[in-house]
Amino acid sequence: MTITQQAMGIQSPKQTRVRGGQILSYLVLLALFFITLFPFWWVLRTALTSPASVFSHTSSLTPVNPTTQNFERVLGLVDTEDLVGDGVVTSYMSTATLDFWVFLRNSFIVAGTITLGQTFFSSMAAYAFARIKFPLRDTVFFIYLTGLMIPSIVLFIPNFVFIRELDWIGTYQGIIAPTFLMTPFAVFFMRQFFLGLNKDLEEAAIIDGATRIGLFWRIALPLVKGPLLTLAILTFIGSWNEYLWPLLVGRDEHVRVLTVALGIFREQTPQGAPDWAGLMAGTAVSIVPAIVIFIFFGRKVVDSIQFSGFK
Amino acid sequence: MKSLRAVIFIALILAMTVPLTGLAQAQDDVTIRYMLWDNNQLPAYTECANQFMESNPGITVEIEQLGWGDYWTAVQTGFVTGDAPDVFTNHLAKYPEFVALEQLVDVQPLVERDSVPTDIYYPGLAELWVKDGARYGLPKDWDTVAVIYNADMLEAAGIDPAVMDEWTWNPEDGGTFEQVVAQLTLDANGNNGLSPDFDKDNVVQYGFTNDWATAAGYGQTSFSVFTASTGWTYNNGLWGNEYYYDDPRFTQSIQWIADLWLEKGYAAPFADVSGLGSFALFQSGKAALTTDGSWMIGSYLGSEFPVGFGRLPIGPEGRKSMFNGLADSIWVGSKHQEEAWQWVKYLGSAECQNIVGQAGVVFPAIPEATDLSLNVRADAGVDVSAFTLQAAEEGGTFLFPITDYGGEITVIMQEAMDRIALGEVDAETALTEANEEVNALFE
Amino acid sequence: MAASQIHIKPKRFILFELLNRLGNNEALIGYLFILPSLIGFAIFFAYPAVRAVYISFLDWNLLTDAKYVGLENYQTLFDDKRFWDSLQVTVLYVLWNIPLQTVLAIFMAVMLERFSTITSSIMRGIMILPWLMPNVVVALLWLWILDPSIGLMNEFLKAMGIGRQPFMGSPDQAIQSIAGINIWRHVGYTSILVFAGLKTIPKSLYEAAAMDGADDLMQFRKITLPLLRPVLVFVLVTSVIGSFQVFDTVAVTTGGGPAGSTRVIIYYIYQQVFERRIKMGMATAASVVLFSILITVTIVQMRLLRSGESDLADYQ
């Protein structure tokens, strides 16, 4: 007892120092959150600013000549032909609209399908790599891993040629195909979790006469549902934000996704001078679905990830 | 969990049977894909396409539009994968490369067959697209460069815009142009650039800015208006194989421009124009004068302050602006070259160019159509004669330096220009070095 | 003939046996499990990659006939000063990007642990927001904020009494600015992964350490960091690989400038294809070099971090 008290006594000056350090840590955290959030306000502020005022009052923290016109333009609520008809002065802003609902639907179809396919097939592979013994298993896994390191720029052109040979340019399956069956990241990610699973459960099930497929579907998969959902969301958002590949394969308006539409919207006047106000309105609108999805599942995901060990 | 797995399972099956909704329906008549990068011209060309389809019932024209950067990526990837548009808007900086890669249809035989007049355009425009007797496109529009000024700033400084009718420039002391620029430059204490108390490290309003960040080897809107006015030329002519970036007239002029910000504080420093660019700087009211191309007229008119267009300064060899033109080219891989040619022919005709002229966005290649464009602007109370007078003046223009290796030259020269602009190295040293590297490409 | 007739029965027997054992044949089941992913990998990763290696020995623009040139592309590459510069720029980028991002992510994750469950999950929701924005848009947004003359950041610095900075307008700050932008986008995401790792560390260890009088900092050094290692391996391996391949941000903001100070390796490759008349041989040769570098870096990383082991056993 006395020893403990003594220790406490000695600690007291130390503790005030620790408290000071703690306050500092909280302040730094606060600053980091400010830095994280502020640009989002800037997006919104610019989106609500009148296009003519975008470059003046650049340091104003609130919208200048506030208007919802940018959002209306992006969402196609105003007729762009009318804007052009107003006279030459309108040519400083992009007259393109985003056919928002169509592009939104396309983004959902593309990102959703990729997510379902990739998480499922990658999990299957990951389970096999973690739990099933077969010849060349570790070699194949290592080769998968090296796939992470291939610069994606070298994959684009051969893949594009292949998709074209299938006559899939301008189709959903053309955009989806390369990442539908797997990505090295997804396999790597899921394998870590399957490795950490307790083997006892499976061994008990084997004694009960369960097959491998049954083990995977009924026992392993439910046990990793947290990571699985995490991977699903990571994949969904990743595919949602993908730009270059859908730009090459899916420019066609029927299958154009939101990022591509936004990219096309971005650089409308020939050299330089993008329509910032419109672009920011488009950005604000395009990240809403991702945020909604994250709010919907996000909490569950971040709470349920359990890194059961990386091996 | 059970229900979730069921959902995943059903969705997976559904996912594998995604319908081919993206595929265009098979059509009996021919579809021509046409691509352009300027969204502001889309309405005019859509109108052209409608007219064209009315008089050519068997042909459907599909217009695609992409921003400048993505546009060239898409066109080039299209060449490789066989997915390029049948007809596309071509640029002088890009087309020699496409010729070298054998991707453009020579329309000369077709021009002769259909006796298409090529003399209806502004002189020189049609010839830009000819190499060794082969013709790779019909002109659609043109552009020149002029001075753009912030009228409020000129008024505040007591400068009459009429001064631009006669102002002069030379690479030694900058002529009256430099005087005006200095007078328009203000430091934080309100002293202008001519004042002995002028503080060049504390400037709040620059007299001049230009788009140095993309100047590279051509400097269309930045250095070319100065360098060409000394009599300097880029190279030994159309499709030349030797560049003259080490010419003293050139290096001296470049040094004079760089010194505007490095030494004198009259122009916005390089860093300030390398982000959003000189256009944004001008729009934000931080600079009084700039030089830019006629395709930007509409963008400048969107400023919150009154903007005017003035003549270029008169250099040792007179006023000089680059005369640049776009054309429509046919891709060699097009499966419907005859129909594509019909469309190109229509695009190059007075019929379509008048529609484009009436839209008032660019200057069409046919003079009458350009007049229409001028009328539209005059009706809106805008005087853009600084651009058209330049084009009409005897010896007032020079052509885009068309040679091979445009891409390589841009990479080499941009680095050299950046280093000069940053003050890392003087113009003579950097340009002599860069010129050797450029000329080595042609060996 | 006769011999084959004799064999019919055993053959049938084997087939039957095979079907019967299908459910138990580990190897077969294993291959079945990886089959879909193997197809995807073979078509969309392995084949293009192998083909790229082959193309690196050709002089080819994809349009006209290819010419076999042996190691000439590699020779040209190694003689090109811009190639070495681009490697240097890339390494500089990684060095600015990864340590700062990882340290900040660990800091944020550790701090999150101190809040109640609800508060911390709201905070995690906020932290991941930047990652929900497409890369290209993030770059454009920061190009705007960091513009030296009309950007908000300089206004802010002025208010703080710090002088104006050129950011991406100067070779001295350009690559750092780009690293900063990408840290902004990824730090929250990384932090959440680290946070998940933190939750696997038994609370009892901290309690015991507190009893022994270890303060927060010491607990962090002696318990948190070592036990976090498996997660850190994953985070570091994937983020270093990603970092070496930075491209979007550069393409949108600086285009490799000023004066080549942000020409990262992928941008160099991009220029070979899109600004240098489709030099596929050079582009793929540079990719092969980058690939070799990444493999080496990853193996070294895994060795250094002893990825297969966990320190948890030492404490139990």
Side-chain angles (χ1 to χ4, degrees):
Chain A
M1 237 0 183
T2 42
I3 296 165
T4 322
Q5 275 168 349
Q6 225 174 356
M8 299 273 276
I10 294 163
Q11 261 189 356
S12 69
K14 213 179 192 174
Q15 247 170 7
T16 45
R17 206 193 62 198
V18 168
R19 199 144 293 153
Q22 273 184 348
I23 291 169
L24 188 72
S25 316
Y26 283 111
L27 282 178
V28 172
L29 190 70
L30 200 68
L32 287 175
F33 271 83
F34 176 76
I35 296 168
T36 304
L37 279 178
F38 184 78
F40 287 90
W41 168 245
W42 196 247
V43 170
L44 204 60
R45 183 222 82 122
T46 312
L48 290 169
T49 295
S50 149
S53 310
V54 160
F55 290 112
S56 53
H57 324 289
T58 44
S59 51
S60 164
L61 291 176
T62 50
V64 188
N65 300 328
T67 173
T68 54
Q69 185 230 22
N70 301 313
F71 285 100
E72 288 164 24
R73 264 188 310 133
V74 165
L75 295 175
L77 299 177
V78 286
D79 191 354
T80 47
E81 301 275 332
D82 289 351
L83 291 176
V84 175
D86 286 347
V88 285
V89 284
T90 54
S91 60
Y92 62 86
M93 60 191 188
S94 168
T95 48
T97 57
L98 296 175
D99 203 343
F100 183 72
W101 302 110
V102 175
F103 301 148
L104 182 72
R105 183 202 67 191
N106 292 341
S107 276
F108 265 110
I109 291 174
V110 167
T113 316
I114 290 177
T115 305
L116 285 170
Q118 195 188 114
T119 11
F120 181 76
F121 292 122
S122 297
S123 300
M124 268 173 69
Y127 178 76
F129 286 128
R131 276 287 182 267
I132 305 176
K133 285 200 177 71
F134 56 91
L136 295 176
R137 181 183 74 173
D138 293 342
T139 317
V140 175
F141 179 69
F142 182 76
I143 295 171
Y144 271 27
L145 265 194
T146 60
L148 266 181
M149 295 155 220
I150 305 169
S152 53
I153 199 164
V154 276
L155 302 180
F156 275 147
I157 289 190
N159 284 345
F160 190 103
V161 173
F162 181 67
I163 293 294
R164 207 188 105 77
E165 278 160 7
L166 293 175
D167 212 1
W168 281 4
I169 300 292
T171 66
Y172 291 125
Q173 59 269 46
I175 308 175
I176 291 163
T179 46
F180 180 70
L181 292 173
M182 66 96 65
T183 59
F185 176 84
V187 178
F188 186 25
F189 186 89
M190 288 313 295
R191 178 175 168 270
Q192 303 298 332
F193 295 100
F194 285 121
L195 279 177
L197 286 186
N198 196 328
K199 279 185 182 162
D200 299 348
L201 263 175
E202 285 181 59
E203 274 156 18
I206 288 175
I207 293 167
D208 291 348
T211 60
R212 266 296 173 194
I213 296 164
L215 278 180
F216 170 66
W217 190 250
R218 295 215 185 76
I219 296 177
L221 221 46
L223 282 175
V224 294
K225 70 177 175 189
L228 199 63
L229 205 56
T230 309
L231 178 67
I233 296 216
L234 299 187
T235 311
F236 186 88
I237 292 168
S239 324
W240 185 273
N241 287 340
E242 189 59 51
Y243 178 65
L244 199 54
W245 178 253
L247 173 74
L248 293 178
V249 177
R251 276 200 313 278
D252 193 298
E253 283 194 25
H254 306 289
V255 298
R256 189 181 287 174
V257 295
L258 219 45
T259 42
V260 174
L262 210 60
I264 290 171
F265 187 84
R266 164 167 51 103
E267 246 185 276
Q268 292 306 356
T269 46
Q271 285 111 12
D275 170 15
W276 287 97
L279 179 68
M280 289 302 149
T283 304
V285 164
S286 75
I287 54 174
V288 166
I291 291 175
V292 168
I293 285 167
F294 199 78
I295 289 171
F296 221 67
F297 297 106
R299 214 170 77 83
K300 216 172 169 182
V301 168
V302 287
D303 289 342
S304 64
I305 303 183
Q306 287 293 340
F307 277 78
S308 318
F310 280 101
K311 288 171 187 170
Chain B
M1 195 59 207
K2 215 166 201 166
S3 62
L4 181 66
R5 272 183 294 151
V7 168
I8 291 176
F9 194 71
I10 292 165
L12 262 178
I13 293 166
L14 285 179
M16 290 189 206
T17 55
V18 176
L20 310 177
T21 41
L23 276 177
Q25 291 297 308
Q27 276 157 336
D28 292 319
D29 54 342
V30 171
T31 300
I32 295 294
R33 285 171 57 218
Y34 176 56
M35 215 153 144
L36 72 162
W37 66 77
D38 189 355
N39 180 64
N40 295 319
Q41 297 184 52
L42 190 57
Y45 283 103
T46 308
E47 180 58 28
C48 278
N50 289 339
Q51 299 281 341
F52 176 75
M53 288 189 282
E54 221 162 86
S55 45
N56 295 273
I59 309 175
T60 307
V61 176
E62 247 176 38
I63 303 185
E64 280 176 61
Q65 179 264 329
L66 286 175
W68 172 265
D70 293 335
Y71 179 87
W72 295 111
T73 307
V75 168
Q76 251 175 308
T77 317
F79 288 161
V80 173
T81 59
D83 187 45
D86 299 285
V87 180
F88 65 98
T89 307
N90 211 341
H91 192 273
L92 289 172
K94 304 277 180 182
Y95 111 88
E97 196 173 324
F98 299 162
V99 170
L101 293 171
E102 297 168 15
Q103 292 303 308
L104 303 180
V105 171
D106 170 16
V107 296
Q108 183 61 29
L110 298 164
V111 166
E112 284 165 16
R113 185 194 74 188
D114 296 356
S115 349
V116 176
T118 54
D119 55 357
I120 56 168
Y121 307 109
Y122 276 89
L125 279 186
E127 285 64 45
L128 286 171
W129 299 89
V130 176
K131 187 196 183 190
D132 301 333
R135 187 182 294 274
Y136 297 106
L138 286 185
K140 60 190 298 156
D141 55 26
W142 58 270
D143 50 71
T144 52
V145 177
V147 170
I148 296 117
Y149 61 87
N150 180 325
D152 284 350
M153 289 181 182
L154 260 68
E155 201 183 315
I159 295 170
D160 182 356
V163 69
M164 298 180 195
D165 294 341
E166 294 301 331
W167 59 358
T168 60
W169 175 84
N170 64 66
E172 286 85 34
D173 64 7
T176 54
F177 176 78
E178 185 171 326
Q179 299 300 307
V180 173
V181 166
Q183 205 181 334
L184 284 165
T185 307
L186 298 174
D187 69 11
N189 302 318
N191 298 317
N192 73 27
L194 295 172
S195 156
D197 301 326
F198 174 68
D199 177 6
K200 73 183 172 80
D201 297 319
N202 206 357
V203 176
V204 291
Q205 172 186 317
Y206 293 106
F208 183 66
T209 185
N210 67 14
D211 188 18
W212 199 262
T214 60
Y218 307 118
Q220 183 179 10
T221 62
S222 52
F223 65 71
S224 78
V225 295
F226 299 106
T227 53
S229 76
T230 63
W232 172 81
T233 54
Y234 289 88
N235 49 38
N236 55 348
L238 208 58
W239 298 103
N241 56 6
E242 188 186 0
Y243 273 83
Y244 304 137
Y245 289 125
D246 58 351
D247 185 301
R249 288 172 297 182
F250 183 71
T251 58
Q252 206 185 350
S253 302
I254 294 295
Q255 192 64 57
W256 176 85
I257 300 171
D259 283 346
L260 279 183
W261 57 83
L262 291 175
E263 298 287 328
K264 299 165 188 153
Y266 296 164
F270 176 70
D272 286 16
V273 296
S274 61
L276 293 173
S278 58
F279 172 75
L281 194 85
F282 182 86
Q283 288 278 79
S284 69
K286 300 219 170 186
L289 301 175
T290 186
T291 47
D292 216 330
S294 50
W295 64 89
M296 290 291 283
I297 292 173
S299 301
Y300 280 100
L301 289 173
S303 310
E304 275 204 325
F305 44 83
V307 164
F309 303 97
R311 300 297 309 272
L312 295 169
I314 302 164
E317 302 283 322
R319 281 189 169 109
K320 301 276 183 188
S321 158
M322 187 183 283
F323 192 53
N324 180 41
L326 306 180
D328 291 305
S329 297
I330 304 173
W331 176 46
V332 84
S334 165
K335 290 187 181 68
H336 311 289
Q337 295 193 3
E338 180 56 35
E339 289 83 358
W341 163 244
Q342 295 302 329
W343 170 236
V344 167
K345 200 164 68 173
Y346 179 77
L347 286 170
S349 72
E351 222 175 315
C352 174
Q353 301 218 342
N354 284 341
I355 296 174
V356 175
Q358 259 149 4
V361 180
V362 288
F363 299 130
I366 299 174
E368 293 74 34
T370 287
D371 291 343
L372 287 174
S373 179
L374 284 173
N375 290 340
V376 172
R377 301 209 201 253
D379 290 346
V382 182
D383 175 14
V384 294
S385 59
F387 295 97
T388 48
L389 286 175
Q390 191 69 47
E393 209 165 85
E394 181 78 33
T397 57
F398 58 94
L399 298 174
F400 188 93
I402 304 169
T403 66
D404 278 330
Y405 303 108
E408 283 92 337
I409 293 171
T410 300
V411 173
I412 296 166
M413 292 304 294
Q414 187 61 56
E415 261 177 69
M417 290 297 176
D418 282 0
R419 293 179 64 212
I420 296 166
L422 289 162
E424 283 180 7
V425 61
D426 65 279
E428 199 186 333
T429 316
L431 291 170
T432 309
E433 217 172 277
N435 196 54
E436 274 171 29
E437 203 179 344
V438 166
N439 284 334
L441 293 168
F442 293 91
E443 279 161 13
Chain C
M1 285 293 131
S4 68
Q5 270 174 347
I6 292 163
H7 276 277
I8 284 174
K9 236 182 178 176
K11 247 189 189 168
R12 218 183 245 161
F13 178 71
I14 288 167
L15 198 69
F16 180 74
E17 189 77 331
L18 258 177
L19 280 170
N20 205 20
R21 275 162 48 183
L22 196 71
N24 299 322
N25 187 322
E26 286 276 295
L28 190 65
I29 289 285
Y31 284 122
L32 269 180
F33 265 68
I34 66 163
L35 186 66
S37 69
L38 201 60
I39 293 171
F41 183 79
I43 296 176
F44 295 109
F45 290 89
Y47 168 71
V50 170
R51 208 163 160 219
V53 175
Y54 171 66
I55 294 172
S56 74
F57 299 112
L58 303 177
D59 177 12
W60 193 31
N61 61 21
L62 298 170
L63 294 168
T64 48
D65 290 339
K67 205 175 91 200
Y68 181 82
V69 293
L71 288 171
E72 199 183 293
N73 289 323
Y74 291 92
Q75 191 62 50
T76 319
L77 202 62
F78 294 144
D79 288 343
D80 187 358
K81 191 178 156 293
R82 290 193 177 87
F83 172 70
W84 293 109
D85 285 349
S86 77
L87 281 180
Q88 201 187 332
V89 166
T90 311
V91 169
L92 199 63
Y93 170 81
V94 173
L95 290 178
W96 277 100
N97 181 231
I98 296 298
L100 203 57
Q101 176 173 304
T102 314
V103 167
L104 279 177
I106 294 172
F107 170 78
M108 286 168 92
V110 169
M111 290 302 285
L112 278 179
E113 277 237 298
R114 295 164 179 253
F115 292 91
S116 66
T117 320
I118 293 175
T119 321
S120 103
S121 61
I122 293 173
M123 288 169 91
R124 273 172 284 155
I126 293 172
M127 274 159 43
I128 206 151
L129 275 177
W131 190 70
L132 300 183
M133 230 195 256
N135 242 343
V136 175
V137 176
V138 168
L140 280 170
L141 176 63
W142 280 95
L143 179 68
W144 177 264
I145 293 175
L146 293 180
D147 186 84
S149 70
I150 61 177
L152 202 65
M153 187 59 93
N154 268 331
E155 292 288 335
F156 178 73
L157 291 181
K158 202 167 83 185
M160 304 256 297
I162 303 168
R164 262 166 40 115
Q165 301 298 318
F167 300 112
M168 285 173 283
S170 154
D172 303 327
Q173 294 181 9
I175 201 74
Q176 291 85 339
S177 303
I178 288 169
I181 294 170
N182 286 331
I183 290 173
W184 180 80
R185 183 164 185 263
H186 291 289
V187 71
Y189 166 77
T190 315
S191 179
I192 285 170
L193 292 180
V194 175
F195 181 78
L198 282 180
K199 290 180 73 181
T200 61
I201 300 172
K203 285 275 173 296
S204 55
L205 290 177
Y206 290 108
E207 281 153 20
M211 291 286 269
D212 293 345
D215 62 14
D216 285 358
L217 216 60
M218 207 188 289
Q219 288 180 17
F220 176 77
R221 271 203 358 244
K222 297 284 180 200
I223 304 172
T224 314
L225 220 46
L227 292 185
L228 212 50
R229 209 180 53 203
V231 180
L232 286 181
V233 172
F234 179 82
V235 166
L236 279 175
V237 166
T238 53
S239 59
V240 165
I241 290 173
S243 191
F244 263 99
Q245 297 189 50
V246 59
F247 173 71
D248 294 2
T249 322
V250 172
V252 172
T253 56
T254 61
S261 61
T262 58
R263 190 192 291 117
V264 290
I265 181 72
I266 297 282
Y267 199 81
Y268 177 88
I269 294 171
Y270 171 85
Q271 280 189 329
Q272 298 296 331
V273 179
F274 289 103
E275 283 172 29
R276 303 208 134 190
R277 59 177 67 190
I278 323 185
K279 287 195 171 179
M280 283 311 281
M282 288 286 285
T284 48
S287 305
V288 170
V289 173
L290 174 61
F291 180 71
S292 328
I293 293 173
L294 285 177
I295 293 254
T296 318
V297 168
T298 305
I299 290 171
V300 167
Q301 254 180 318
M302 288 189 145
R303 282 276 154 78
L304 281 179
L305 294 160
R306 291 177 294 138
S307 68
E309 299 161 37
S310 167
D311 288 342
L312 194 56
D314 304 345
Y315 290 82
Q316 282 170 340

